[in-house]
């Protein structure tokens, strides 16, 4: 008998209206193509349909007659076991009869009667059910065009004979095979609409019958009718109405007072599944989750009989699994789940209920096995008529059993016997695998690791030890990293059992190295057994089977281990990533060693095992392979590690002479345990913290300390632009001669403005190199080079002297380094000013207007050296008129902090400038050197300022005496020069004022030829004494009216001093 723990297949599959097709002979190719068109195109605009082929009108199940009145037999169950199958697969909502008949068929009358007869057979087989009947005429001729009177007449006749309505008669043309699918899809839409109407009428019929059931003893029938109504609404794809009635059904079942709680629990599980499924489909996932939580709270305590408690756990596990599947399907369809609420939790809970179910089996295992051996459990269990009932349960009012010869306890023992044969791991592993997938997606890594441990345990129980070991190994690294030693111990125990049962020697040794350590939470007795087993493996003896619970396989496993250990192999175990019982620390005693010194290092070993450990050999590997065979401790029997005591081993090695400047690093440490087999405990990542002062994982081999010295001679500070000679003296203070002498001079500055060169070279670089073949003891050698700094900067000059010395028949490289920090300053400050011929500061020049360039050279305040300026040279651009030798200083001058050098030259812009043009004056070269120092002369260039030059077409100047005498005539000559290439017309107005008597042209319009000069003469008589303002003309250029009079007369003398007359 099938126990009602799961769900019927009809509830889990998609629900489609059941439609019957009659009259088709699949051996006929035409009929077969029609059948294929219907079954392969099940999805239409109105939804899909399920099609069955009706071969016999008697294939439908017989209809039960309703028994009314007080003699109606009592209801002994809620829902028949075959009800879902009957309405989804057996009873069609619509039956369509296919018949080959054309409108112009010559045997129309006979075929019409035959068609009506077949429909009557179908009606009788359906037992007057509400199933819709329809007739489809398969016509091979083409469809009539327009109104065909014959077709209309025969269609009316056919519907009358067949007792069909006119909308139940259809025509299927088959003349064109490529149009068949289109015609079939149209027919499907119509048939599904008729099927929906059938299920709607069925719901109305059931509701009307339910309304008559008001007495309390009809609660079973009311629940049954609600289930049927909900189911029919779901077939109709009316999700909202179906969900509403399923909720009503659930509440009705809970409120029903029944003695068989198991039956109510099973049916509530069916209805809960449909509520959750439709809620997800309707886009209400929160409602589905709330309904499932309510369902679990309601029935979690409905255990039933204590002997069948495992069935209740099985039912709970299935409920969580089914809901997890619904939730997962919705997530795959696009729903976004939360990290705290996703399908993985439900799969995990389902797996945990199966685990609890397995634990219950141990309580009755021995008793059921004993009864089975006596042959008392050979029972054939009949299938019950209703869902959720056991074979011994009958109508509650009678209390009878289906088979009175078998007691209920015998049935339960039979179920327990079947439970003993159940493979739990086959169910739990897929559930955990699904849960791991979801927890991996939503990132709770610790839950994922927990589930993987459970999966490994299930694989172990299923005797798939390889998978159990590989899964458990996947999580060990994280638990080691997080230092969860209790969990780590649990997982390592599982790995130990798997490696033992697989006969994997290397894995067994690796796990034992962790489990016998002090951080593992195993009992000390168990750790002692494991260490003895490890010693036995070393001696070629199989481990004791007491270390694992699977002692029933002792003989087979012992043979596997004996064969594996007889090969005398070497097992290398990497302990760097493990929580091992053996800790290893290695460090050099100093961060660097000279090439003529021995390199020393220390190794500290500590064992946290319970028993002593005998070490046979220790070897160290370095990143330089030349030293690997040197550092080896090989004294068997002399190194015994006591528990929790440090053992220090010291090593010394001589560096190679060609390894100067290289860094030596400890690559790994290997601890050898020898026996019939060899075990190498290797540390690829060595802890270098031997003590607070000794913690060096690497050391540098440096050259021998040099006794050679170097003295430098230079002038400080450096001056910008100066080529200064630096002299050096190398003194050999070594007791032996030195050879292969190489001196490197390296300049370092952030601005890269400092460079050096040798005296006989011309190109400056940042490095220089001097080479000497040999220098005897006590002798010296000299060098010199030129250094130049282009800007103010801080810089370093490093001197690296390397050489070889022969000492005790060994050649040692030596190196001497000296760093000199220097800075550069400006040799002097240069200031340049632009002044008019009257020594007034100006910022603008006019063509043919002479100006002065005034230069001041002053010493820098913090410069202690005096500067000898040997020459000043001006390089004026060709746009100015300048006498080249007028400004050069030929006599050397000494510039000290207490004085300065001044110089002045005159320049005049040429007429080639355009108006308002910025023009560079040129540059000035200052030749200088340090005073009283024999060195080359340095040339420093200073750029002269730019000046704005404006072109005037006419220049005006006036000529007069330097002073005037009161009441004496003063002669003034106005000079007008046309510097342009065109005739200029001027308008000149004079305003004599009150201080002078004026004689000459007061208003004059005058033309002047290109490149010509004209004079206007005036006579003035001063009327006052003192400094007087001269009468100035107002000049207008008729061709350049934008040039103002003030600009044209700016060069005229504007004031004159008038003294009183000496004549009284």
């Amino acid at each position: 008998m099938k126990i009602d723990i799961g769900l019927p297949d009809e509830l889990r599959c998609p629900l489609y209206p059941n439609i019957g097709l009659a009259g088709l002979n699949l051996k006929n190719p035409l009929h077969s193509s029609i059948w294929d068109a219907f079954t392969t195109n099940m999805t239409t605009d109105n939804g899909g349909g399920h099609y069955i082929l009706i071969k016999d009108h008697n294939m439908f199940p017989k209809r039960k007659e309703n028994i009314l009145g007080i003699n109606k037999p009592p209801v002994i169950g809620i829902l028949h076991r075959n009800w879902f199958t009957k309405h989804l697969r057996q009873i069609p909502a619509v039956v369509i009869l296919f018949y080959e008949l054309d409108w112009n068929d010559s045997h129309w009358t006979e075929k019409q009667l035959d068609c009506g007869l077949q429909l009557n057979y179908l009606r009788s087989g359906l037992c007057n059910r509400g199933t819709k009947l329809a007739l489809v005429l398969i016509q091979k001729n083409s469809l009539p065009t327009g109104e065909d009177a014959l077709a209309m007449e025969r269609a009316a006749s056919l519907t009358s004979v067949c007792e069909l309505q006119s909308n139940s008669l259809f025509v299927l043309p088959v003349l064109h095979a490529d149009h068949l699918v289109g015609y079939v899809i149209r027919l499907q839409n119509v048939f599904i609409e008729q099927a929906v109407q059938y299920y709607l009428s069925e719901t109305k019929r059931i509701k009307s019958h339910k309304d008559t059931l008001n007495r309390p003893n009809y609660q079973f029938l009311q629940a049954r009718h609600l289930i049927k109504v909900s189911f029919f609404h779901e077939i109709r794809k009316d999700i909202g109405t179906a969900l509403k009635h399923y909720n009503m059904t659930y509440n009705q079942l809970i409120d029903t007072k029944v003695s068989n709680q198991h039956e109510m629990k099973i049916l509530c599980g069916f209805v809960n599944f449909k509520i959750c499924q439709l809620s997800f489909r309707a886009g209400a996932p929160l409602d589905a989750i709330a309904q499932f939580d309510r369902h679990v709270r309601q029935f979690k305590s409905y255990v039933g009989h204590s002997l069948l408690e495992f069935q209740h756990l099985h039912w709970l596990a299935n409920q969580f699994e089914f809901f997890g599947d619904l939730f997962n399907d919705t997530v795959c369809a696009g729903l976004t789940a939360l990290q705290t609420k996703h399908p993985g939790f439900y799969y995990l809970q389902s797996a945990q209920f199966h685990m609890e179910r397995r634990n219950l089996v141990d309580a009755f295992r021995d008793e059921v096995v004993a009864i089975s051996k006596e042959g008392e459990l050979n029972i054939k269990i009949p299938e019950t008529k209703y869902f959720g009932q056991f074979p011994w349960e009958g109508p509650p009012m009678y209390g009878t059993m289906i088979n009175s010869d078998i007691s209920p306890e015998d049935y339960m023992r039979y179920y327990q016997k079947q439970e003993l044969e159940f493979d739990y791991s086959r169910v739990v592993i897929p559930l955990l695998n699904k849960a791991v997938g979801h927890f991996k997606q939503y990132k709770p890594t610790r839950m994922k690791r927990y589930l993987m441990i459970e999966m490994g345990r299930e694989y172990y129980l299923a005797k798939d030890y390889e998978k159990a070991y590989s899964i458990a190994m996947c999580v060990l690294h994280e638990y080691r990293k997080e230092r969860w030693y209790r969990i780590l111990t649990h997982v390592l125990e599982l790995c130990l059992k798997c490696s033992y049962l697989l006969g994997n020697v290397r894995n067994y040794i690796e796990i034992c190295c962790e489990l016998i350590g002090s951080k593992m939470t195993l009992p000390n007795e168990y750790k002692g057994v494991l260490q003895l087993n490890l010693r036995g493996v070393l001696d070629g003896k199989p481990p004791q089977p007491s270390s694992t619970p699977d002692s029933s396989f002792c003989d087979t496993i012992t043979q596997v281990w004996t064969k594996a250990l007889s090969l005398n192999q070497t097992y290398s175990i990497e302990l760097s990533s493990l929580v091992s019982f053996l800790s290893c620390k290695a460090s050099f005693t100093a961060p660097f060693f000279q090439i003529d010194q021995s390199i020393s290092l220390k190794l500290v070993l500590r064992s946290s095992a319970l028993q002593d450990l005998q070490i046979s050999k220790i070897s160290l590997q370095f990143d330089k392979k030349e030293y690997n065979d040197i550092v080896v401790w090989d004294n068997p029997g002399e190194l015994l590690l006591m528990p929790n005591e440090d053992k220090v081993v010291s090593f010394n090695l001589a560096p190679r002479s060609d390894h100067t400047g290289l860094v030596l690093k400890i690559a790994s440490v290997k601890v050898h345990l020898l026996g019939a087999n060899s075990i190498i405990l290797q540390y690829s990542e060595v802890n270098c913290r031997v003590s607070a002062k000794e913690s060096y994982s690497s050391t540098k081999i440096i050259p021998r300390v040099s006794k050679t010295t170097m003295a430098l001679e230079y002038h400080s500070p450096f001056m910008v632009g100066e080529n200064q000679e630096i002299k050096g003296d190398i003194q050999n203070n070594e007791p032996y001669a030195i050879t292969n002498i190489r001196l490197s001079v390296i300049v370092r500055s952030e601005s890269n403005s400092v460079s050096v060169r040798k005296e006989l070279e011309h190109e400056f670089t940042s490095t220089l190199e001097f080479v000497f073949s040999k220098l005897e003891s006590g002798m010296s050698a000299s060098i010199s080079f030129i250094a130049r700094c282009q800007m103010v900067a801080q810089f370093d000059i490093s001197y690296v002297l390397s050489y070889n010395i022969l000492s005790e028949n060994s050649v040692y490289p030596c190196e001497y380094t000296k760093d000199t920090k220097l800075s550069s300053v400006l040799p002097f400050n240069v200031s340049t000013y632009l002044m008019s011929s009257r020594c007034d500061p100006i910022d603008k020049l006019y063509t043919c207007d002479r100006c002065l360039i005034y230069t001041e050279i002053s010493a820098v305040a913090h410069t202690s050296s005096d500067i000898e300026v040997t020459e000043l040279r001006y390089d004026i651009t060709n746009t100015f008129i300048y006498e080249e030798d007028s400004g050069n200083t030929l006599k050397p001058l000494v510039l000290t902090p207490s004085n300065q050098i001044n110089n002045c030259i005159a320049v005049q812009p040429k007429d080639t400038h355009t108006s308002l043009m910025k023009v560079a004056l040129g540059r000035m070269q200052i030749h200088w050197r340090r005073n009283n120092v024999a060195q080359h002369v340095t040339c420093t260039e200073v750029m002269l300022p730019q000046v704005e030059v404006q072109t005037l077409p006419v220049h005006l100047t006036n000529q007069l005496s330097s002073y005037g005498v009161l009441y004496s005539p003063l002669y003034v000559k106005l000079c007008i020069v046309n510097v342009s290439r065109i005739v200029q017309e001027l308008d000149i107005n004079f305003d004599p004022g009150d201080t002078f008597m004026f004689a000459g042209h007061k208003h004059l319009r005058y033309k002047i030829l290109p490149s010509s000069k004209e004079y206007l003469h005036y006579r003035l008589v001063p009327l006052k004494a003192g400094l007087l303002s001269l009468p100035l003309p107002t000049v207008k250029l008729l061709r350049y009216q934008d040039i103002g009079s003030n600009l044209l007369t700016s060069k005229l003398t504007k004031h004159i001093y008038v003294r009183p007359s000496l004549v009284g």
Side-chain angles (χ1 to χ4, degrees):
M1 172 194 171
K2 182 179 179 181
I3 305 176
D4 299 320
I5 300 298
L7 287 174
D9 295 336
E10 293 79 9
L11 291 182
R12 305 193 68 177
C13 67
L15 302 184
Y16 298 111
N18 193 24
I19 301 174
L21 305 182
L24 294 178
N25 183 10
L26 299 186
K27 295 181 179 180
N28 186 334
L30 177 60
H31 291 190
S32 178
S33 63
I34 295 174
W35 170 257
D36 292 340
F38 272 96
T39 55
T40 56
N41 295 280
M42 295 178 59
T43 303
T44 64
D45 295 339
N46 295 331
H50 177 263
Y51 297 94
I52 59 174
L53 183 63
I54 299 175
K55 300 179 180 180
D56 185 6
H57 62 274
N58 292 321
M59 64 180 291
F60 307 112
K62 300 299 180 182
R63 185 177 185 182
K64 296 185 298 182
E65 296 183 2
N66 291 331
I67 303 176
L68 303 175
I70 59 174
N71 296 324
K72 182 176 180 178
V75 179
I76 59 176
I78 299 178
L79 187 63
H80 285 272
R81 187 176 296 278
N82 65 342
W83 187 86
F84 294 118
T85 304
K86 181 172 67 175
H87 285 276
L88 283 179
R89 300 289 182 266
Q90 297 176 0
I91 299 178
V94 180
V95 175
I96 297 94
L97 176 63
F98 288 84
Y99 199 88
E100 294 188 23
L101 183 59
D102 290 311
W103 297 121
N104 56 357
D105 194 287
S106 57
H107 302 284
W108 170 265
T109 305
E110 294 82 356
K111 290 186 177 181
Q112 178 179 253
L113 294 175
D114 182 59
C115 183
L117 183 62
Q118 291 189 30
L119 283 173
N120 288 331
Y121 286 152
L122 290 173
R123 288 191 182 95
S124 63
L126 291 170
C127 302
N128 297 324
R129 288 187 173 92
T131 301
K132 306 291 184 180
L133 291 175
L135 177 62
V136 176
L137 300 181
I138 302 174
Q139 295 188 348
K140 299 180 180 180
N141 296 332
S142 60
L143 290 175
T145 57
E147 293 186 1
D148 189 344
L150 178 62
M152 295 177 62
E153 178 185 353
R154 290 192 171 183
S157 174
L158 184 60
T159 55
S160 176
V161 171
C162 296
E163 301 179 6
L164 294 174
Q165 296 180 359
S166 59
N167 58 359
S168 298
L169 176 62
F170 306 94
V171 175
L172 179 61
V174 294
L175 180 62
H176 302 287
D178 52 345
H179 296 167
L180 179 62
V181 174
Y183 293 138
V184 167
I185 291 176
R186 293 183 182 181
L187 290 176
Q188 283 179 322
N189 290 328
V190 177
F191 297 158
I192 291 174
E193 288 180 2
Q194 293 183 355
V196 169
Q197 292 299 321
Y198 163 78
Y199 290 116
L200 180 60
S201 62
E202 285 295 302
T203 57
K204 292 179 180 179
R205 181 182 63 81
I206 295 173
K207 283 183 179 180
S208 63
H209 184 228
K210 173 181 171 297
D211 294 339
T212 61
L213 305 175
N214 296 324
R215 290 186 295 175
N217 57 347
Y218 286 149
Q219 288 183 336
F220 275 14
L221 283 176
Q222 290 177 350
R224 179 189 299 174
H225 291 335
L226 281 174
I227 294 174
K228 293 179 179 180
V229 170
S230 305
F231 193 73
F232 285 147
H233 279 303
E234 185 180 0
I235 297 176
R236 292 178 53 241
K237 300 295 184 288
D238 189 354
I239 304 300
T241 306
L243 187 58
K244 172 185 174 183
H245 283 84
Y246 275 127
N247 280 298
M248 294 171 57
T249 305
Y250 192 86
N251 296 328
Q252 177 69 31
L253 288 172
I254 292 177
D255 295 338
T256 301
K257 297 180 181 179
V258 294
S259 58
N260 188 354
Q261 293 183 348
H262 180 73
E263 181 180 9
M264 182 182 66
K265 179 177 69 175
I266 295 299
L267 290 177
C268 283
F270 294 170
V271 177
N272 172 74
F273 176 82
K274 300 307 293 186
I275 293 174
C276 296
Q277 183 186 52
L278 296 182
S279 296
F280 279 124
R281 193 180 302 173
L286 296 180
D287 294 345
I289 295 173
Q291 165 61 28
F292 183 76
D293 293 341
R294 171 196 176 193
H295 175 63
V296 173
R297 288 195 303 269
Q298 180 71 33
F299 292 101
K300 192 172 184 178
S301 60
Y302 282 36
V303 179
H305 201 283
S306 59
L307 295 179
L308 298 180
E309 184 179 356
F310 61 89
Q311 286 192 359
H312 176 67
L313 295 175
H314 190 182
W315 179 82
L316 284 173
N318 285 343
Q319 296 298 303
F320 278 92
E321 181 182 1
F322 297 151
F323 185 79
D325 291 338
L326 293 176
F327 201 170
N328 180 59
D329 293 341
T330 309
V331 170
C332 294
L335 177 68
T336 301
L338 301 177
Q339 189 181 35
T340 56
K341 184 70 70 173
H342 57 78
F345 287 103
Y346 299 96
Y347 289 130
L348 172 60
Q349 190 64 53
S350 176
Q352 289 176 341
F353 279 122
H354 281 298
M355 295 176 191
E356 292 183 29
R357 173 187 169 198
R358 177 173 52 200
N359 296 335
L360 288 177
V361 173
D362 296 333
F364 55 80
R365 182 185 300 275
D366 297 337
E367 183 178 358
V368 173
V369 170
I371 297 175
S372 299
K373 290 180 179 179
E374 296 176 1
E376 298 182 4
L377 295 181
N378 296 327
I379 301 173
K380 184 178 181 180
I381 299 181
E383 188 173 22
T384 58
K385 185 177 181 181
Y386 295 94
F387 282 114
Q389 292 187 352
F390 291 108
W392 62 85
E393 291 177 338
M397 62 179 62
Y398 298 116
T400 58
M401 294 183 295
I402 295 178
N403 190 347
S404 58
D405 296 334
I406 303 174
S407 65
E409 185 175 355
D410 292 338
Y411 282 114
M412 296 179 190
R413 292 298 182 186
Y414 178 79
Y415 287 139
Q416 289 179 346
K417 177 185 176 182
Q418 288 183 327
E419 188 70 13
L420 293 179
E421 301 171 357
F422 188 79
D423 186 3
Y424 300 97
S425 297
R426 181 177 57 85
V427 178
V428 174
I429 290 174
L431 290 172
L432 292 176
N433 195 21
K434 293 178 183 179
V436 167
H438 284 283
F439 280 102
K440 184 184 296 185
Q441 178 182 358
Y442 296 101
K443 308 300 182 185
T445 54
R446 289 182 176 174
M447 279 298 298
K448 184 192 74 172
R449 294 200 296 267
Y450 163 72
L451 294 176
M452 293 183 70
I453 294 174
E454 292 298 322
M455 283 182 63
R457 181 171 175 268
E458 290 299 325
Y459 275 117
Y460 174 78
L461 295 176
K463 298 184 177 1
D464 192 347
Y465 303 120
E466 290 186 2
K467 286 187 178 179
Y469 180 83
S470 61
I471 290 177
M473 289 298 292
C474 292
V475 300
L476 283 178
H477 174 71
E478 296 297 332
Y479 287 123
R480 292 189 187 110
K481 182 179 178 181
E482 297 180 2
R483 301 180 181 181
W484 286 22
Y485 296 124
R486 184 176 296 277
I487 301 177
L488 179 61
T489 303
H490 173 74
V491 180
L492 286 173
E493 281 188 277
L494 177 62
C495 294
L496 182 72
K497 296 174 185 177
C498 294
S499 59
Y500 174 77
L501 295 171
L502 290 171
N504 193 319
V505 181
R506 185 190 177 282
N507 293 342
Y508 186 85
I509 296 173
E510 180 178 316
I511 298 167
C512 282
C513 288
E514 289 194 87
L515 284 177
I516 64 177
S518 60
K519 294 181 179 179
M520 299 299 122
T521 58
L522 289 177
N524 289 337
E525 294 80 5
Y526 193 16
K527 290 183 180 180
V529 173
L530 291 181
Q531 191 169 358
L532 291 176
N533 287 343
L534 190 61
R535 181 71 251 181
V537 170
L538 194 62
D539 296 334
K541 299 178 182 179
Q544 295 297 324
S546 59
S547 61
T548 63
D550 297 87
S551 57
S552 58
F553 302 99
C554 288
D555 296 337
T556 304
I557 296 174
T558 302
Q559 293 176 4
V560 174
W561 274 87
T562 302
K563 181 180 178 180
L565 295 175
S566 64
L567 302 178
N568 298 330
Q569 294 184 352
T570 299
Y571 301 98
S572 180
I573 310 298
E574 178 59 53
L575 299 182
S576 299
S577 60
L578 306 182
V579 186
S580 171
F581 77 100
L582 182 65
S583 66
C584 176
K585 300 177 182 179
S587 171
F588 292 97
T589 58
F592 51 83
F593 292 90
Q594 296 182 22
I595 191 67
D596 58 345
Q597 294 178 340
S598 295
I599 300 176
S600 62
L601 54 89
K602 288 184 179 180
L603 179 69
V604 179
L605 297 176
R606 183 183 181 90
S607 172
S608 61
L610 299 177
Q611 303 173 12
D612 301 341
L613 181 67
Q614 183 69 48
I615 295 177
S616 303
K617 180 180 177 182
I618 300 175
S619 61
L620 276 72
Q621 280 72 40
F622 302 89
D623 58 342
K624 307 296 183 295
K625 297 182 180 179
E626 295 84 348
Y627 300 97
N628 287 346
D629 298 331
I630 300 176
V631 185
V632 177
W633 187 91
D634 191 1
N635 295 316
E638 294 186 8
L639 186 57
L640 182 66
L641 285 185
M642 305 298 291
N644 299 319
E645 291 186 6
D646 292 340
K647 190 71 175 180
V648 181
V649 182
S650 298
F651 298 93
N652 293 302
L653 67 153
R656 296 183 52 157
S657 60
D658 57 342
H659 284 182
T660 304
L662 298 181
V663 175
L664 185 63
K665 184 178 181 180
I666 302 174
S668 63
V669 177
K670 293 183 179 179
V671 178
H672 298 253
L673 308 178
L674 298 181
N677 296 284
S678 178
I679 299 178
I680 300 177
L681 305 179
Q682 179 174 340
Y683 288 88
S684 297
E685 298 177 4
V686 185
N687 184 0
C688 64
R689 191 171 181 80
V690 173
S691 63
K693 297 182 179 180
E694 297 176 338
S695 179
Y696 309 108
S697 62
S698 62
T699 188
K700 186 176 181 180
I701 303 174
I702 62 176
R704 178 178 172 274
V705 175
S706 174
K707 297 181 180 179
T708 301
T709 60
M710 184 174 180
L712 299 175
E713 181 182 349
Y714 56 89
H715 299 285
S716 181
F718 277 66
M719 295 187 181
V720 175
E722 175 188 22
N723 292 336
Q724 182 174 167
E725 181 182 11
I726 300 178
K727 297 179 180 181
D729 184 68
I730 303 171
Q731 181 69 37
N732 181 12
N733 298 323
E734 298 283 357
Y736 310 99
I738 59 177
T739 59
N740 297 330
I741 306 168
R742 189 179 300 273
L743 174 63
S744 298
V745 179
I746 305 171
V747 179
R748 299 183 181 89
S749 65
E750 294 183 357
S751 58
N752 297 323
S753 61
V754 184
S755 55
V756 291
R757 67 172 175 85
K758 294 182 179 179
E759 287 189 347
L760 300 180
E761 295 178 354
H762 299 285
E763 184 178 355
F764 283 87
T765 63
S766 61
T767 59
L768 292 178
E769 191 171 275
F770 300 89
V771 179
F772 304 93
S773 60
K774 187 176 181 181
L775 188 62
E776 296 293 338
S777 176
M779 300 299 291
S780 63
S782 299
I783 63 165
S784 65
F785 59 92
I786 304 298
R788 182 180 65 182
C789 184
Q790 299 292 342
M791 58 187 298
V792 177
Q794 301 284 337
F795 60 95
D796 298 336
I797 299 182
S798 299
Y799 305 89
V800 181
L801 178 64
S802 61
Y803 58 88
N804 294 337
I805 184 171
L806 181 63
S807 175
E808 298 178 358
N809 298 325
S810 297
V811 177
Y812 296 108
C814 298
E815 188 174 285
Y816 171 78
T817 302
K818 183 174 183 178
D819 293 331
T820 305
K821 293 186 176 296
L822 300 170
S823 62
S824 61
V825 298
L826 292 173
F828 39 73
N829 293 327
V830 180
S831 301
T832 305
Y833 307 98
L834 192 64
M835 296 185 296
S836 68
S837 57
R838 299 186 181 92
C839 297
D840 296 327
I842 60 173
D843 58 358
K844 184 183 297 184
L845 281 178
Y846 301 97
T847 55
C848 298
D849 188 9
R850 178 169 296 189
C851 68
L852 300 178
I853 299 177
Y854 181 76
T855 304
E856 289 183 359
I857 304 174
S858 59
V860 179
H862 55 270
T863 303
S864 60
S865 300
D866 294 340
I867 303 297
E868 181 184 358
V869 179
T870 60
E871 184 180 5
L872 288 178
R873 184 172 296 277
Y874 291 88
D875 185 8
I876 305 300
T877 58
N878 56 7
T879 58
F880 288 87
I881 301 173
Y882 164 67
E883 294 181 4
E884 186 173 351
D885 296 333
S886 64
N888 296 336
T889 302
L890 300 178
K891 182 180 179 181
L893 299 174
V894 178
L895 180 64
T896 65
S898 61
N899 64 4
Q900 65 181 20
I901 299 175
N902 300 327
N903 192 43
C904 182
I905 63 171
V907 295
Q908 180 178 345
K910 296 180 180 180
D911 297 336
T912 57
H913 296 97
T914 59
S915 182
L916 295 177
M917 178 180 177
K918 278 280 187 178
V919 180
L921 288 172
R923 59 185 178 177
M924 179 178 64
Q925 295 178 348
I926 305 175
H927 297 263
W928 61 275
R929 64 187 175 187
R930 292 177 185 263
N931 192 27
N932 298 326
V933 175
Q935 65 174 189
H936 299 287
V937 175
T938 302
C939 178
T940 300
E941 290 188 354
V942 179
M943 297 302 297
L944 298 177
Q946 289 185 341
V947 63
E948 185 178 291
V949 179
Q950 185 171 4
T951 300
L952 295 178
V954 176
H955 291 174
L956 277 76
T957 59
N958 54 2
Q959 299 176 9
L960 70 165
S961 61
S962 59
Y963 65 93
V965 179
L966 184 64
Y967 303 123
S968 297
L970 179 65
Y971 296 96
V972 179
K973 183 168 60 173
L974 179 65
C975 179
I976 304 173
V977 182
N978 183 4
V979 296
S980 66
R981 297 181 180 180
I982 60 176
V983 176
Q984 297 292 339
E985 185 175 0
L986 289 79
D987 183 75
I988 302 174
N989 283 301
F990 269 98
D991 183 12
D994 298 333
T995 58
F996 290 94
M997 294 179 63
F998 183 86
H1001 297 283
K1002 291 185 178 181
H1003 181 265
L1004 179 66
R1005 180 166 288 190
Y1006 193 77
K1007 290 183 179 181
I1008 184 171
L1009 296 177
S1011 302
S1012 63
K1013 182 186 297 184
E1014 296 291 339
Y1015 294 94
L1016 295 179
H1017 299 272
Y1018 296 91
R1019 182 179 297 175
L1020 303 177
V1021 177
L1023 300 179
K1024 293 181 180 181
L1027 184 63
L1028 302 180
S1029 296
L1030 291 172
L1032 293 179
T1034 301
V1035 182
K1036 293 182 181 179
L1037 289 177
L1038 300 183
R1039 290 183 181 271
Y1040 299 95
Q1041 296 188 8
D1042 55 334
I1043 299 177
S1045 177
N1046 293 333
L1047 186 58
L1048 293 173
T1049 61
S1050 60
K1051 300 302 179 180
L1052 298 179
T1053 302
K1054 298 179 175 59
H1055 297 85
I1056 190 171
Y1057 181 77
V1058 178
R1059 66 179 178 81
S1061 177
L1062 297 178
V1063 181

